[in-house]
Amino acid sequence: MIAQPTAIITGPIFKEHDTGLRHPENVRRLEALSPVVEDCLNDAQKRFVLLEPQEASREAITRVHSRAYVEALREFCEDGGRKLDLDTSVSEGSYKAGLYAAGGLMRGIDAVLTGEAQNAFALVRPPGHHATAERGMGFCLFNSIAVAARYLIEEQGLSRVMIIDWDVHHGNGTQDSFYNDSRVLFYSSHQSPLYPGTGFLDDIGTGRGRGYNANLPVPPNSGDEVMQAAFTQILEPLAERYQPEFILVSAGYDAHWRDALYATALAVTTPGFAEMTARVKRLADTFCNGRLALSLEGGYNPEALAAGVGATLRVLAGENPEQAAYDQGQPDKALPAQHEFIRALLKEARQLHSL
């Protein structure tokens, strides 16, 4: 039996979010991915399909964001746009691009649910995981991953959605969206200290969501070995206990050791991203019939972004991670998982979550 293809969701609408070329999150990010997408679509085994993004409805967006914020952002963009805050720039086309970024991920989810695709990767911008109910921040306007999780719960009737965030920054907006909700298990590994200054180890949720929020704030240069140890000791046991019905990934590539914006970052390599993808895919295959969708978050070095996304796509389509990662470069240094601080951190995380 031939497996269904991996869906890639992207389109020219995302160029309408014009932040200016001096801004780290600019149109060149997706331009760097164009050869990757073209290469996938020319795959002789037809393992990929390109899908057009759709526009998210106002109802879908306001499950996560307040109506006041959505309307204010629309008016702000229609007025020509400028800076929402010190980091976040918008243009006239940013509001619509944001709707399509959230809707693009939902389009991928629909493809997975209907069997049109085995899994999906939404290559969209602006990113989303910092956006909260009341504000955009950190380059983000609408929290696409949170909107998608609400869609799975409210429209598709799921009760256990797992979100994995491997961006170098903590997904504060995503955490806030589900902090008291057991229907979403949120896991984030991220560099600390770093913007936005959230995502502490003991932030484990509250009320009905207590125990369903897991943060692993790790120091710079943690590297592949630490990320894999976190998967083994924290993420995979959490998934086994939770038994997710669908897995979503906030896929940021700014943890890559080549990333220009955060050169010291987490020292994750392209093979490291390939291996993380493979392990997440195995979780989806084990617990939710392969139902898996990713949405692009950060990643600001064009070469590192293209290498990481390319490796992820090839793994999603069935390649072994060792084959999928063409870029084999390594950072000068990375912490071992047996480093005293890392061992203590992982131990404390296991204790907090009774693993």
Side-chain angles (χ1 to χ4, degrees):
M1 181 177 178
I2 299 175
Q4 293 297 99
T6 288
I8 301 172
I9 304 93
T10 195
I13 182 64
F14 304 117
K15 295 181 180 180
E16 300 301 314
H17 176 49
D18 183 7
T19 58
L21 295 181
R22 291 188 177 184
H23 194 282
E25 201 295 295
N26 64 61
V27 69
R28 287 175 177 164
R29 298 182 66 226
L30 288 191
E31 289 175 351
L33 296 180
S34 292
V36 175
V37 173
E38 183 177 356
D39 183 59
C40 288
L41 297 178
N42 290 330
D43 177 68
Q45 299 178 52
K46 306 297 182 184
R47 296 176 300 171
F48 301 91
V49 61
L50 180 65
L51 303 179
E52 292 290 326
Q54 65 186 22
E55 183 176 351
S57 68
R58 179 69 67 92
E59 179 185 4
I61 296 294
T62 54
R63 292 190 188 113
V64 171
H65 300 283
S66 73
R67 294 184 181 275
Y69 166 65
V70 174
E71 185 62 20
L73 180 63
R74 183 187 66 79
E75 293 178 355
F76 191 71
C77 292
E78 287 182 354
D79 193 39
R82 45 196 179 276
K83 283 186 174 293
L84 279 182
D85 62 18
L86 185 63
D87 300 311
T88 310
S89 297
V90 298
S91 64
E92 186 176 353
S94 295
Y95 176 78
K96 189 172 183 179
L99 293 178
Y100 273 85
L105 177 56
M106 292 164 65
R107 174 68 180 96
I109 286 170
D110 285 343
V112 173
L113 290 174
T114 61
E116 183 181 1
Q118 64 167 325
N119 47 48
F121 197 165
L123 301 179
V124 300
R125 58 181 293 271
H129 70 155
H130 293 310
T132 68
E134 301 292 343
R135 63 176 292 206
M137 57 183 288
F139 310 166
C140 302
L141 303 184
F142 296 133
N143 196 317
S144 299
I145 210 89
V147 170
R150 288 288 181 208
Y151 170 70
L152 285 166
I153 292 166
E154 302 296 338
E155 292 194 38
Q156 298 297 331
L158 274 61
S159 58
R160 296 187 307 281
V161 177
M162 186 173 195
I163 298 176
I164 298 166
D165 190 327
W166 68 48
D167 192 276
V168 77
H169 304 95
H170 178 244
N172 59 297
T174 311
Q175 174 175 286
D176 289 353
S177 295
F178 305 107
Y179 202 62
N180 62 354
D181 193 338
S182 64
R183 295 174 298 178
V184 174
L185 173 62
F186 177 60
Y187 169 90
S188 174
S189 58
H190 49 273
Q191 182 175 323
S192 180
L194 193 64
Y195 180 92
T198 54
F200 300 105
L201 192 67
D202 57 0
D203 291 340
I204 63 170
T206 188
R208 292 182 177 180
R210 184 171 178 80
Y212 296 92
N213 195 86
N215 289 312
L216 194 70
V218 295
N221 294 311
S222 287
D224 293 347
E225 188 179 325
V226 173
M227 295 297 102
Q228 302 305 329
F231 269 47
T232 300
Q233 298 184 40
I234 311 299
L235 175 61
E236 291 169 346
L238 283 172
E240 183 174 6
R241 184 167 67 192
Y242 191 60
Q243 300 281 307
E245 298 169 305
F246 204 110
I247 296 177
L248 300 171
V249 180
S250 278
Y253 295 85
D254 39 6
H256 196 285
W257 71 278
R258 295 185 190 272
D259 195 275
L261 190 59
Y262 298 102
T264 58
L266 288 183
V268 177
T269 68
T270 302
F273 282 114
E275 181 61 28
M276 287 194 292
T277 305
R279 295 181 74 163
V280 171
K281 187 173 183 291
R282 283 197 292 272
L283 290 177
D285 290 341
T286 300
F287 299 116
C288 45
N289 198 29
R291 295 193 290 188
L292 170 65
L294 296 78
S295 187
L296 182 64
E297 298 285 0
Y300 308 101
N301 176 290
E303 292 78 18
L305 178 63
V309 169
T312 292
L313 284 167
R314 289 186 288 271
V315 171
L316 290 175
E319 286 191 28
N320 293 326
E322 296 82 5
Q323 298 171 318
Y326 298 153
D327 172 15
Q328 298 291 325
Q330 299 287 334
D332 292 335
K333 58 180 179 179
L335 293 175
Q338 293 303 310
H339 186 281
E340 182 179 354
F341 178 82
I342 298 299
R343 283 192 298 138
L345 182 71
L346 292 171
K347 181 180 179 180
E348 186 175 355
R350 292 197 305 273
Q351 291 173 340
L352 280 168
H353 291 280
S354 303
L355 299 173

PDB file of all heavy atoms in Angstrom, residues 201-224:
ATOM      1  N   LEU A 201      10.392  26.025  34.661  1.00  0.00           N
ATOM      2  CA  LEU A 201      10.251  24.583  34.859  1.00  0.00           C
ATOM      3  C   LEU A 201       9.005  24.242  35.668  1.00  0.00           C
ATOM      4  O   LEU A 201       8.307  23.268  35.368  1.00  0.00           O
ATOM      5  CB  LEU A 201      11.505  24.035  35.558  1.00  0.00           C
ATOM      6  CG  LEU A 201      11.669  22.523  35.610  1.00  0.00           C
ATOM      7  CD1 LEU A 201      11.885  21.955  34.223  1.00  0.00           C
ATOM      8  CD2 LEU A 201      12.849  22.159  36.521  1.00  0.00           C
ATOM      9  N   ASP A 202       8.710  25.057  36.679  1.00  0.00           N
ATOM     10  CA  ASP A 202       7.577  24.739  37.550  1.00  0.00           C
ATOM     11  C   ASP A 202       6.259  25.346  37.084  1.00  0.00           C
ATOM     12  O   ASP A 202       5.267  25.334  37.810  1.00  0.00           O
ATOM     13  CB  ASP A 202       7.870  25.153  38.996  1.00  0.00           C
ATOM     14  CG  ASP A 202       8.218  26.629  39.138  1.00  0.00           C
ATOM     15  OD1 ASP A 202       8.229  27.341  38.114  1.00  0.00           O
ATOM     16  OD2 ASP A 202       8.474  27.062  40.269  1.00  0.00           O
ATOM     17  N   ASP A 203       6.217  25.865  35.859  1.00  0.00           N
ATOM     18  CA  ASP A 203       4.949  26.281  35.251  1.00  0.00           C
ATOM     19  C   ASP A 203       4.289  25.032  34.668  1.00  0.00           C
ATOM     20  O   ASP A 203       4.495  24.692  33.501  1.00  0.00           O
ATOM     21  CB  ASP A 203       5.183  27.309  34.140  1.00  0.00           C
ATOM     22  CG  ASP A 203       5.662  28.647  34.663  1.00  0.00           C
ATOM     23  OD1 ASP A 203       5.460  28.929  35.857  1.00  0.00           O
ATOM     24  OD2 ASP A 203       6.238  29.409  33.869  1.00  0.00           O
ATOM     25  N   ILE A 204       3.504  24.349  35.460  1.00  0.00           N
ATOM     26  CA  ILE A 204       2.964  23.057  35.026  1.00  0.00           C
ATOM     27  C   ILE A 204       1.452  23.100  34.783  1.00  0.00           C
ATOM     28  O   ILE A 204       0.834  22.065  34.563  1.00  0.00           O
ATOM     29  CB  ILE A 204       3.304  21.949  36.033  1.00  0.00           C
ATOM     30  CG1 ILE A 204       2.654  22.208  37.393  1.00  0.00           C
ATOM     31  CG2 ILE A 204       4.815  21.794  36.168  1.00  0.00           C
ATOM     32  CD1 ILE A 204       2.760  21.024  38.356  1.00  0.00           C
ATOM     33  N   GLY A 205       0.879  24.292  34.779  1.00  0.00           N
ATOM     34  CA  GLY A 205      -0.549  24.418  34.572  1.00  0.00           C
ATOM     35  C   GLY A 205      -1.277  24.647  35.881  1.00  0.00           C
ATOM     36  O   GLY A 205      -0.712  24.513  36.972  1.00  0.00           O
ATOM     37  N   THR A 206      -2.557  24.997  35.756  1.00  0.00           N
ATOM     38  CA  THR A 206      -3.359  25.262  36.949  1.00  0.00           C
ATOM     39  C   THR A 206      -4.765  24.741  36.734  1.00  0.00           C
ATOM     40  O   THR A 206      -5.203  24.523  35.593  1.00  0.00           O
ATOM     41  CB  THR A 206      -3.394  26.776  37.248  1.00  0.00           C
ATOM     42  OG1 THR A 206      -4.024  27.001  38.505  1.00  0.00           O
ATOM     43  CG2 THR A 206      -4.156  27.536  36.179  1.00  0.00           C
ATOM     44  N   GLY A 207      -5.483  24.525  37.831  1.00  0.00           N
ATOM     45  CA  GLY A 207      -6.847  24.035  37.726  1.00  0.00           C
ATOM     46  C   GLY A 207      -6.894  22.713  36.983  1.00  0.00           C
ATOM     47  O   GLY A 207      -6.109  21.798  37.240  1.00  0.00           O
ATOM     48  N   ARG A 208      -7.818  22.617  36.020  1.00  0.00           N
ATOM     49  CA  ARG A 208      -7.933  21.393  35.241  1.00  0.00           C
ATOM     50  C   ARG A 208      -6.713  21.145  34.360  1.00  0.00           C
ATOM     51  O   ARG A 208      -6.497  20.033  33.887  1.00  0.00           O
ATOM     52  CB  ARG A 208      -9.192  21.451  34.370  1.00  0.00           C
ATOM     53  CG  ARG A 208     -10.498  21.403  35.160  1.00  0.00           C
ATOM     54  CD  ARG A 208     -11.703  21.405  34.247  1.00  0.00           C
ATOM     55  NE  ARG A 208     -12.935  21.298  34.989  1.00  0.00           N
ATOM     56  CZ  ARG A 208     -14.146  21.283  34.453  1.00  0.00           C
ATOM     57  NH1 ARG A 208     -14.271  21.374  33.124  1.00  0.00           N
ATOM     58  NH2 ARG A 208     -15.225  21.190  35.202  1.00  0.00           N
ATOM     59  N   GLY A 209      -5.926  22.173  34.134  1.00  0.00           N
ATOM     60  CA  GLY A 209      -4.736  22.035  33.309  1.00  0.00           C
ATOM     61  C   GLY A 209      -3.478  21.695  34.080  1.00  0.00           C
ATOM     62  O   GLY A 209      -2.394  21.583  33.480  1.00  0.00           O
ATOM     63  N   ARG A 210      -3.600  21.519  35.378  1.00  0.00           N
ATOM     64  CA  ARG A 210      -2.407  21.227  36.178  1.00  0.00           C
ATOM     65  C   ARG A 210      -1.796  19.897  35.749  1.00  0.00           C
ATOM     66  O   ARG A 210      -2.466  18.855  35.718  1.00  0.00           O
ATOM     67  CB  ARG A 210      -2.743  21.203  37.663  1.00  0.00           C
ATOM     68  CG  ARG A 210      -1.509  21.009  38.554  1.00  0.00           C
ATOM     69  CD  ARG A 210      -1.846  21.198  40.025  1.00  0.00           C
ATOM     70  NE  ARG A 210      -0.685  20.975  40.869  1.00  0.00           N
ATOM     71  CZ  ARG A 210       0.289  21.841  41.099  1.00  0.00           C
ATOM     72  NH1 ARG A 210       0.227  23.044  40.528  1.00  0.00           N
ATOM     73  NH2 ARG A 210       1.303  21.550  41.876  1.00  0.00           N
ATOM     74  N   GLY A 211      -0.516  19.940  35.410  1.00  0.00           N
ATOM     75  CA  GLY A 211       0.191  18.756  34.943  1.00  0.00           C
ATOM     76  C   GLY A 211       0.195  18.611  33.431  1.00  0.00           C
ATOM     77  O   GLY A 211       0.861  17.712  32.914  1.00  0.00           O
ATOM     78  N   TYR A 212      -0.504  19.514  32.735  1.00  0.00           N
ATOM     79  CA  TYR A 212      -0.598  19.431  31.278  1.00  0.00           C
ATOM     80  C   TYR A 212       0.210  20.522  30.573  1.00  0.00           C
ATOM     81  O   TYR A 212       0.000  20.782  29.392  1.00  0.00           O
ATOM     82  CB  TYR A 212      -2.064  19.480  30.837  1.00  0.00           C
ATOM     83  CG  TYR A 212      -2.842  18.294  31.337  1.00  0.00           C
ATOM     84  CD1 TYR A 212      -3.534  18.352  32.546  1.00  0.00           C
ATOM     85  CD2 TYR A 212      -2.864  17.107  30.624  1.00  0.00           C
ATOM     86  CE1 TYR A 212      -4.240  17.259  33.024  1.00  0.00           C
ATOM     87  CE2 TYR A 212      -3.560  16.001  31.093  1.00  0.00           C
ATOM     88  CZ  TYR A 212      -4.250  16.089  32.292  1.00  0.00           C
ATOM     89  OH  TYR A 212      -4.941  14.993  32.759  1.00  0.00           O
ATOM     90  N   ASN A 213       1.125  21.120  31.306  1.00  0.00           N
ATOM     91  CA  ASN A 213       2.035  22.124  30.736  1.00  0.00           C
ATOM     92  C   ASN A 213       3.440  21.755  31.189  1.00  0.00           C
ATOM     93  O   ASN A 213       3.715  21.661  32.388  1.00  0.00           O
ATOM     94  CB  ASN A 213       1.675  23.530  31.233  1.00  0.00           C
ATOM     95  CG  ASN A 213       2.327  24.622  30.425  1.00  0.00           C
ATOM     96  OD1 ASN A 213       1.808  25.050  29.402  1.00  0.00           O
ATOM     97  ND2 ASN A 213       3.492  25.088  30.872  1.00  0.00           N
ATOM     98  N   ALA A 214       4.326  21.517  30.235  1.00  0.00           N
ATOM     99  CA  ALA A 214       5.678  21.047  30.555  1.00  0.00           C
ATOM    100  C   ALA A 214       6.709  21.924  29.856  1.00  0.00           C
ATOM    101  O   ALA A 214       6.726  22.001  28.624  1.00  0.00           O
ATOM    102  CB  ALA A 214       5.853  19.597  30.137  1.00  0.00           C
ATOM    103  N   ASN A 215       7.533  22.585  30.630  1.00  0.00           N
ATOM    104  CA  ASN A 215       8.607  23.419  30.095  1.00  0.00           C
ATOM    105  C   ASN A 215       9.957  22.825  30.448  1.00  0.00           C
ATOM    106  O   ASN A 215      10.158  22.326  31.562  1.00  0.00           O
ATOM    107  CB  ASN A 215       8.536  24.827  30.686  1.00  0.00           C
ATOM    108  CG  ASN A 215       7.359  25.614  30.161  1.00  0.00           C
ATOM    109  OD1 ASN A 215       7.117  25.661  28.962  1.00  0.00           O
ATOM    110  ND2 ASN A 215       6.614  26.245  31.064  1.00  0.00           N
ATOM    111  N   LEU A 216      10.874  22.919  29.492  1.00  0.00           N
ATOM    112  CA  LEU A 216      12.256  22.551  29.760  1.00  0.00           C
ATOM    113  C   LEU A 216      13.148  23.707  29.329  1.00  0.00           C
ATOM    114  O   LEU A 216      13.581  23.775  28.173  1.00  0.00           O
ATOM    115  CB  LEU A 216      12.642  21.269  29.029  1.00  0.00           C
ATOM    116  CG  LEU A 216      13.957  20.654  29.532  1.00  0.00           C
ATOM    117  CD1 LEU A 216      13.763  20.094  30.941  1.00  0.00           C
ATOM    118  CD2 LEU A 216      14.454  19.570  28.608  1.00  0.00           C
ATOM    119  N   PRO A 217      13.406  24.652  30.236  1.00  0.00           N
ATOM    120  CA  PRO A 217      14.271  25.794  29.919  1.00  0.00           C
ATOM    121  C   PRO A 217      15.736  25.390  30.058  1.00  0.00           C
ATOM    122  O   PRO A 217      16.210  25.097  31.158  1.00  0.00           O
ATOM    123  CB  PRO A 217      13.870  26.827  30.977  1.00  0.00           C
ATOM    124  CG  PRO A 217      13.369  26.021  32.138  1.00  0.00           C
ATOM    125  CD  PRO A 217      12.834  24.733  31.592  1.00  0.00           C
ATOM    126  N   VAL A 218      16.456  25.345  28.948  1.00  0.00           N
ATOM    127  CA  VAL A 218      17.825  24.841  28.946  1.00  0.00           C
ATOM    128  C   VAL A 218      18.804  25.960  28.610  1.00  0.00           C
ATOM    129  O   VAL A 218      18.436  26.957  27.978  1.00  0.00           O
ATOM    130  CB  VAL A 218      17.990  23.669  27.953  1.00  0.00           C
ATOM    131  CG1 VAL A 218      17.149  22.473  28.396  1.00  0.00           C
ATOM    132  CG2 VAL A 218      17.592  24.089  26.549  1.00  0.00           C
ATOM    133  N   PRO A 219      20.048  25.830  29.009  1.00  0.00           N
ATOM    134  CA  PRO A 219      21.031  26.891  28.758  1.00  0.00           C
ATOM    135  C   PRO A 219      21.492  26.912  27.313  1.00  0.00           C
ATOM    136  O   PRO A 219      21.282  25.942  26.561  1.00  0.00           O
ATOM    137  CB  PRO A 219      22.185  26.514  29.691  1.00  0.00           C
ATOM    138  CG  PRO A 219      22.082  25.042  29.860  1.00  0.00           C
ATOM    139  CD  PRO A 219      20.615  24.733  29.831  1.00  0.00           C
ATOM    140  N   PRO A 220      22.128  28.009  26.880  1.00  0.00           N
ATOM    141  CA  PRO A 220      22.693  28.059  25.528  1.00  0.00           C
ATOM    142  C   PRO A 220      23.651  26.889  25.290  1.00  0.00           C
ATOM    143  O   PRO A 220      24.244  26.352  26.224  1.00  0.00           O
ATOM    144  CB  PRO A 220      23.444  29.396  25.509  1.00  0.00           C
ATOM    145  CG  PRO A 220      22.795  30.220  26.562  1.00  0.00           C
ATOM    146  CD  PRO A 220      22.369  29.260  27.625  1.00  0.00           C
ATOM    147  N   ASN A 221      23.758  26.516  24.005  1.00  0.00           N
ATOM    148  CA  ASN A 221      24.664  25.444  23.589  1.00  0.00           C
ATOM    149  C   ASN A 221      24.282  24.079  24.152  1.00  0.00           C
ATOM    150  O   ASN A 221      25.133  23.206  24.312  1.00  0.00           O
ATOM    151  CB  ASN A 221      26.118  25.780  23.968  1.00  0.00           C
ATOM    152  CG  ASN A 221      26.639  26.965  23.196  1.00  0.00           C
ATOM    153  OD1 ASN A 221      26.520  27.033  21.976  1.00  0.00           O
ATOM    154  ND2 ASN A 221      27.193  27.933  23.909  1.00  0.00           N
ATOM    155  N   SER A 222      23.000  23.880  24.430  1.00  0.00           N
ATOM    156  CA  SER A 222      22.591  22.572  24.957  1.00  0.00           C
ATOM    157  C   SER A 222      22.770  21.466  23.924  1.00  0.00           C
ATOM    158  O   SER A 222      23.172  20.359  24.260  1.00  0.00           O
ATOM    159  CB  SER A 222      21.139  22.632  25.435  1.00  0.00           C
ATOM    160  OG  SER A 222      21.045  23.356  26.638  1.00  0.00           O
ATOM    161  N   GLY A 223      22.461  21.729  22.667  1.00  0.00           N
ATOM    162  CA  GLY A 223      22.811  20.802  21.602  1.00  0.00           C
ATOM    163  C   GLY A 223      21.907  19.587  21.466  1.00  0.00           C
ATOM    164  O   GLY A 223      20.958  19.377  22.228  1.00  0.00           O
ATOM    165  N   ASP A 224      22.230  18.770  20.464  1.00  0.00           N
ATOM    166  CA  ASP A 224      21.403  17.622  20.103  1.00  0.00           C
ATOM    167  C   ASP A 224      21.252  16.625  21.246  1.00  0.00           C
ATOM    168  O   ASP A 224      20.162  16.095  21.485  1.00  0.00           O
ATOM    169  CB  ASP A 224      22.020  16.883  18.905  1.00  0.00           C
ATOM    170  CG  ASP A 224      22.000  17.701  17.633  1.00  0.00           C
ATOM    171  OD1 ASP A 224      21.308  18.738  17.590  1.00  0.00           O
ATOM    172  OD2 ASP A 224      22.690  17.301  16.668  1.00  0.00           O
TER     173      ASP A 224
END
